[in-house]
Structure formats: structure tokens, C-alpha cells
Amino acid sequence: MTTATSPSSGTAIRGRSGEATDHAPAGVATHCAYCGLQCAMTLTGTSAAALTVSPRRFPTNRGGLCQKGWTSAELLRAPSRLTSPLVRRGGALEPASWDEALDVVADAIVRTQTAYGKDAVAVFGGGGLTNEKAYQLGKFARVALRTSQIDYNGRWCMSSAAAAGIRCFGLDRGLPFPVTDIGSAHAVLLLGANPAETMPPFLTHLVRAADAGGLMVADPRLTPTAAKAIDGGGLHLQLRPGTDAALALGMLHLAVTEGYADRRYVDERTSGFEDLWPIAAQWLPERVERVTGVAVTTMRSAVAALARARDTERGAYILSARGSEQHASGTDTVTAFIALALVLGLPGNPGTGFGTITGQGNGQGGREHGQKADQLPGYRKIDDPAARAHVAAVWGVDPADLPGPGRSAFELLAALGTDGGPRVLLVHGSNPVVSAPDARLVSERLAALDLLVVSDFVLSETAAIADVVLPVLQWAEEEGTLTNLEGRVLRRRRALAAPEGCRSELEVWSELASRIGCSTDFPTDPRVVFDELRRASAGGPADYSAVTWERLDAGESLHWPCSTERPQGTPRLFLDRFATPDGLARFVAVDHVGPAEADDTAYPLVATTGRLLQHYQSGAQTRLVDELSTAAGEMFVQVHPDTAGAVGLADGDLADVVSRRGRTRAAVRVDEDMRPDVVFLPFHWGGDARANSLTHAALDPTSRMPEFKACAVRLETVA
Ligand SMILES: Nc1nc2c(c(=O)[nH]1)N[C@H]1C(S)=C(S)[C@@H](COP(=O)(O)OP(=O)(O)OC[C@H]3O[C@@H](n4cnc5c(=O)[nH]c(N)nc54)[C@H](O)[C@@H]3O)O[C@H]1N2
Ligand SMILES: Nc1nc2c(c(=O)[nH]1)N[C@H]1C(S)=C(S)[C@@H](COP(=O)(O)OP(=O)(O)OC[C@H]3O[C@@H](n4cnc5c(=O)[nH]c(N)nc54)[C@H](O)[C@@H]3O)O[C@H]1N2
Ligand code: SF4
Ligand SMILES: [Mo]
């Protein structure tokens, strides 16, 4: 078997010098620069050159780190790290003073808004920003810029899971229970999740299930995670991309017809089963097998394993991630899997549950404090008059002056430079030239702007085409908080002083606000910002009002909601009631739709995309770390040998992967375990190797999630 990375590389989470400790004597206790597991680490040393990383024991990582975490200090000493503002002059980006760069930006904002209105200036944020920055960015957009045009990359990450969670449970917190709860479960069904590469220390929570033969992985590829399931006697449901909803409805059908439904739970804790059942009743197992490619016996075993673990009180969980969610029907798909979990009686009971694995470092907090187009802090809706009144009072403005909902991420980018669309864009924490769907179109729109301003600490592909680049601080240079995949608020701590020439984003927004004549105060001390965030979130679904930096620094574990009524926080949600008005979880009538783009003779294969262990997202950060780029230096396309052979390609050849929108050049990596109708591409590179030249932006009607995980392609040889 040839896989993207060997299973062992995915699971080697310790194995380096240095055992995990609770605290290093002279170090700074903080959390990783990258993903939502937020592994705990200690940084030791006083200069970037000398800084070392050691893992720290913490419930999410149990003393482990992945290769990205181990090497994260390299980012702080990367020679190409930006230390001066850059302004484009005569076609080239040239160093400029902070005053000059900020004046260019402020002048453009004022000029553009005077001529074209407030919404002519837009903001694009990121799920990697601290809570303090995510909050302040939303406030800066609504109060200083007074624009409705703000959205962020989390729209491409968690939005379908979030929309389904709100729809069915009345609330979106990725894991409504601590991640350690999963550790005792004997059955775990993973939907489109590959934690062996995307969150290696997460595997420690799956050991029990894997050893019990109860780890089950629905993925079109035999990933290191799926291999782990098979090794333990578990299951790999190797479905065709974009057929998850059919799988969910088929498994729900089997749960009912084979007597595994928890009738009492369905009666007492849910509503709407009778709306969904007529649809699920049509999904006979044989029909599901035809659509998904998953054998009826496999589905039957999977449902039985979940029910058995539930009945023997050994714990059963269903967890979804981007493979099942990043589709134009992602919200309905997650809704269908929640329905399966509800029929089995899993959510809101101790030892069982449904959850979704949040991806970005602050993917959870980033979606609560108002960088989303339709949102105000505390996970409030921007079109709710009571929410507007509450937040406006905290901000000291008239509710009538707050803008309404704006465009979603892709719609915002697609409107740039068009008639009536934004003409100035500020980017904070994303690299859309590489990571946006239909990235060719997005790059064209970015180029059509009057002014593109990128705040970053590396010259990402998006920064490279900007008119102004502002060098900001990165993780270990700033203080703040993040909210991890379990809804637990964590302290990020500073280990290094700000490098000369760099400024915090809180300072950038404060400076810009005063330059454009906004009288509202934008504090630059993150602790002060957090205290304001607490007040703004009070009474909202994501209530942080009783979380303080002092409590976090004292080592308290605080999961939101954490308010005066629940000062101890809420590690486990929904135990008594769901967050819906009637307290019942909802079944919603959804059906299988399938991928938005059909394959045909010209484009006969389904391309899906995702991640490798060594690279993070658009790769802007991890491509600068030698150890990571040496281990995974080249773009490839994973393909079945017969599929490659049919067009004259062999392992190691260069190929063009071609869709209706563009082409991507990649080395062929043959893999006998691939489905012959599917190819896989990582999305960590730009230029000719950009996977998102192929993808398209059919958007989910509810979440506005694009279809990253399925598009029609063909393979071509390269002359
Ligand atoms: N190394 C690394 N780790 C990361 C990140 C990273 O960039 N690199 N990013 C972080 C972020 S932001 C996120 S969102 C998470 C994502 O974490 P994951 O969701 O685990 O990552 P992906 O690789 O995007 O997708 C998971 C799997 O979905 C499968 N898949 C593709 N299409 C389908 C489909 O139609 N149905 C199903 N069921 N499966 C499908 C893919 O083959 C892939 O193995 O990772 C986080 N951790
Ligand atoms: N084809 C395909 N495309 C995808 C996906 C997929 O599975 N397939 N996954 C999607 C998902 S889930 C995600 S989350 C997105 C992520 O994709 P992007 O939004 O591009 O995310 P990153 O690569 O993390 O970009 C972060 C940029 O912000 C910078 N940065 C990091 N921290 C900060 C900060 O605090 N402030 C500022 N100003 N800058 C910072 C980094 O240096 C980097 O240049 O990609 C999406 N695109
Ligand atoms: S799993 Fe995520 S948080 Fe943990 S070390 Fe790796 S990248 Fe960092
Ligand atoms: Mo993500």
C-alpha cells in the first residue's frame, strides 16, 4: 500500500527527546500554533533562535504533540518572517514605515466609503485569530468601518456542522462533551475524519475503541486512520465522495428495522421523527449500497456495533469532520447523521454522543464573537433586535447604526471589484489565493480590487499580491485566549517580545479606527478586550461572562457557557435538555442530494481534497519549516494504478488534473487501495500545484459551505 503518509508517521506523537511534563520550571505554558486540538506545550528560551518546544500534559493531547507542534518554534525564527510594512510602488512591494502604510490604508478606506458607501470596504478574518482578535475584528468592521461586509475562513471549515448543530440541538459547540469522554468508548464512527494526520494526539482517545474492534471510518480513501480501524478489527466504509447523506439515511433505516432504535429516547427527548422516517424508509440498504459503494453487511455491522456499545454502557460516539461536511449539501448531511445518532439515543446522555471535530486553532471561538457575516458576539444573530440592543450598548453606539448581515465568504470574495461589490479588502488570518474554492476566480477578483491589505507574518500567496502588507505578531509573541474543539477556553501566552518592526493586530485596528475618524475606543491590551468580550457575550448562546484570565491562569478548566448562573462552566451540554425552545432535539426531513457537479465522459473521475500530516492549511506557515517541507515537499495526486494506467500514467509521473475550471500539476502517487473512480489531492500548495484551481463553489443553501470535497476531473499526461 502506498499512502500519502505512512500510518506510523501519522501516529508517532511522542518519540522525541524530552518527556512530557506538567510544567517546565522556567518555561512558558501555552498551546500549539496550529489546530483545534490545542495541544499543551511549554516554550523555553528567551530568544526566537533559542526557543524550544516541549509537550505538556493536558487532557486533549495527554503529553503528545504532532510533527507540526514539535517544529512550531521554527516559525518564530523563519528568515522570511515579515518585519516591515510593505507598500506596492510601481508594481513592486517595498518596505515602508508603519505611519506611511497605515495612512495609505486609512486614506483608501475614507475615499472609497465616501464615493461608494460603507459596504465598499470589506473584511476577511480567520479561525486562527485569538478570541480577543476575532471579537475586535468584528467590532472594528461594524463600528469603525460600519460595513456589513465581513466574513471569514471558518465558513469553509465548520459552517455546515454549525448549521446542523443549531438546527437539531439548538446550539453549536463542536464537541458538546470533553474529548476525554470518547476515550472510554468501545464504538466510534468517524465520518470524513482523518485524525491520524490532522490531529495525531487525538488517536489516544480512540485506542479503546480501536482495540475493541469498534473504530469505524467512513472515508473514500484507506487513510492511516482507516488503517488503524482495520488493524483493530473495526470497519472502513469506503464510500464514494458526496454520498454520506445516503449512508446516514441507510444506517438510520437499518437501526429502525433491525430493532436498535431507542424508542423511549425518541419519544421523550426528540421531535420530528415522523417527518424524517418516510424519507429514510425509502433508503433500503441495497439502494444505499448502490449509491455509496458500502456493502450492506458493513453498514449492518456498523449500526450493530454502535448499538451494542450503547447497550452495554461501554460508550458509543459518532463524530463528523470535513470529509462529510464540505459539500454543497453538507448541512443536510450532518443533519442526517445527527438523526442517526438520535435514533440510537446517543446525544445528551453520559458515555454516548454526537460531535464534530473543530479544525482551526480557534475554530470554535472564531465562530462565536462576530467575524461571521450574520453574527454578533456571544453567538448572537445580527438581525435579532435584542441582540443588536445588547451589543450596541456594550459598544456605546446606537443599535440603528449597526449594519445588517453581509455576504458569506465565497460570495464576498466573488463580489470584489464588481459593480456594487467591495473595492477595498482587509485580510486577517487567511490565504484565500490558495485555500478558496474556485481559486482562479477568487484570484481574479482580488486583483480587481482598488486596494488589498493583508496582515500576516509571512508573505503568503495572498500577501504577495496585496497593495499593503502589515507585519503582525504570531502566536508565541502575543497574549490571548482560544477556545478549543471541546468549547474549553485556553490561555495563549507570550514567550517572546514582539520582533522589531512588527505590531499586534489590536494596535492596527486601534490606529486605523482613529485615522478614519472613529471616536470609539479600540483597546490594545488583550485582557481589556477580553473583559469587554465577556460583557458582550453575556446572555448569548456562547456566554463567556464568568470566564476570566485570572481563573484560566489559576488552572481552572472552563467550557462555555460559563456565566454567573453556571460559574463552573459546562463541560457536558444537553444532559437535561437540548437548547431548542421545547428542549427537544429535532429530526429534520432531509434527503440525499449528492455532489453538485456530475461526472461525464470528459471528466470521468471525482476529485476530493484534504490534508497531509506535515502541512497546515494553505501551507503558508508549514512550507517555511524545513523538516516539514522536506518530509512533504511536493504536490501529488493519489490515484488507483488502473485509473492512472488507463491514461498512460505510472507512479512518479507528472500529471495534470483537469476540471471544468482549471488544471493542477501533480506527481502521480499510485495506491491500490484507492477507489478507481476517485482521486485525492492535498490543498497545501499554490501556483500550478493549487488543488483549488479545480474545485468549485456550489454553496450549501443554509451554511454557504462550498463543495471542496467533490468535483469532476480527468487526468492528462504532461508532455
Ligand atoms: N496536518 C493538518 N492537520 C490539520 C489541518 C491541516 O491543514 N493539516 N487543518 C485543521 C483544520 S482547519 C481542519 S478543518 C481539520 C480537518 O480535519 P479532517 O476533516 O480530518 O481533514 P481532511 O483531510 O480535510 O478530510 C478528512 C477526510 O475526508 C475524506 N473525504 C473526502 N471526501 C469525502 C466524502 O465525500 N465523504 C467522506 N466521508 N469523507 C471524505 C478525505 O479522504 C480525508 O481523509 O484538520 C485540522 N488539522
Ligand atoms: N480544496 C480544499 N480547500 C480547502 C479545504 C479543503 O479541505 N480542501 N479546507 C478549508 C478549510 S477547513 C480551511 S480552515 C481553510 C483554511 O485556509 P486559510 O484560510 O488559507 O488558512 P491558513 O492557511 O491557516 O491561512 C492563514 C494565514 O494567516 C496567517 N495567520 C496565522 N495566524 C494569524 C493571525 O493571528 N493573524 C493574522 N493576520 N494572520 C495569521 C498565516 O500565516 C497564513 O498566511 O481552507 C479551506 N480550503
Ligand atoms: S495536533 Fe494540532 S494542536 Fe496538536 S501539535 Fe499537532 S497541530 Fe498542534
Ligand atoms: Mo478548517
Side-chain angles (χ1 to χ4, degrees), residues 153-154 156-158 322 326 357-361 363 611 616-617 683:
N153 67 6
W156 299 333
C157 185
M158 298 302 301
R322 301 310 82 72
Q326 287 174 323
I357 305 174
T358 291
Q360 297 189 79
R611 295 162 164 83
Y616 192 65
Q617 317 275 57
F683 77 102

Side-chain angles (χ1 to χ4, degrees), residues 29-180:
T30 190
H31 295 267
C32 180
Y34 301 109
C35 86
L37 196 60
Q38 282 299 294
C39 298
M41 50 171 61
T42 304
L43 300 178
T44 318
T46 49
S47 68
L51 205 73
T52 59
V53 174
S54 47
R56 190 161 52 86
R57 265 191 284 275
F58 191 71
T60 62
N61 61 311
R62 293 185 167 155
L65 292 176
C66 80
Q67 203 178 359
K68 294 185 303 301
W70 276 110
T71 54
S72 53
E74 295 301 324
L75 275 179
L76 300 160
R77 46 185 172 250
S80 52
R81 190 257 158 83
L82 301 172
T83 53
S84 166
L86 304 172
V87 174
R88 192 169 295 279
R89 293 193 198 93
L93 280 173
E94 290 177 358
S97 71
W98 270 98
D99 272 338
E100 188 186 352
L102 290 170
D103 282 343
V104 170
V105 179
D107 286 352
I109 291 171
V110 171
R111 233 180 318 108
T112 305
Q113 291 193 319
T114 308
Y116 300 97
K118 298 291 184 199
D119 281 356
V121 176
V123 174
F124 200 85
L129 301 180
T130 58
N131 287 319
E132 292 76 6
K133 293 197 291 185
Y135 168 82
Q136 195 81 323
L137 184 58
K139 176 181 171 184
F140 175 77
R142 271 70 174 232
V143 175
L145 298 175
R146 295 182 60 184
T147 180
S148 70
Q149 301 297 297
I150 173 170
D151 212 52
Y152 80 123
N153 67 6
R155 185 72 72 171
W156 299 333
C157 185
M158 298 302 301
S159 63
S160 286
I166 291 168
R167 193 194 233 180
C168 302
F169 302 134
L171 188 72
D172 156 41
R173 200 183 85 190
L175 296 184
F177 42 77
V179 68
T180 41

Side-chain angles (χ1 to χ4, degrees), residues 254-273:
L254 279 167
V256 171
T257 56
E258 312 228 322
Y260 298 126
D262 184 339
R263 298 273 174 196
R264 188 163 157 200
Y265 174 97
V266 171
D267 283 348
E268 290 176 0
R269 299 212 56 190
T270 74
S271 67
F273 177 73

Side-chain angles (χ1 to χ4, degrees), residues 229-240:
I230 293 172
D231 286 349
L235 298 172
H236 179 205
L237 297 83
Q238 194 166 12
L239 78 179
R240 185 177 156 87

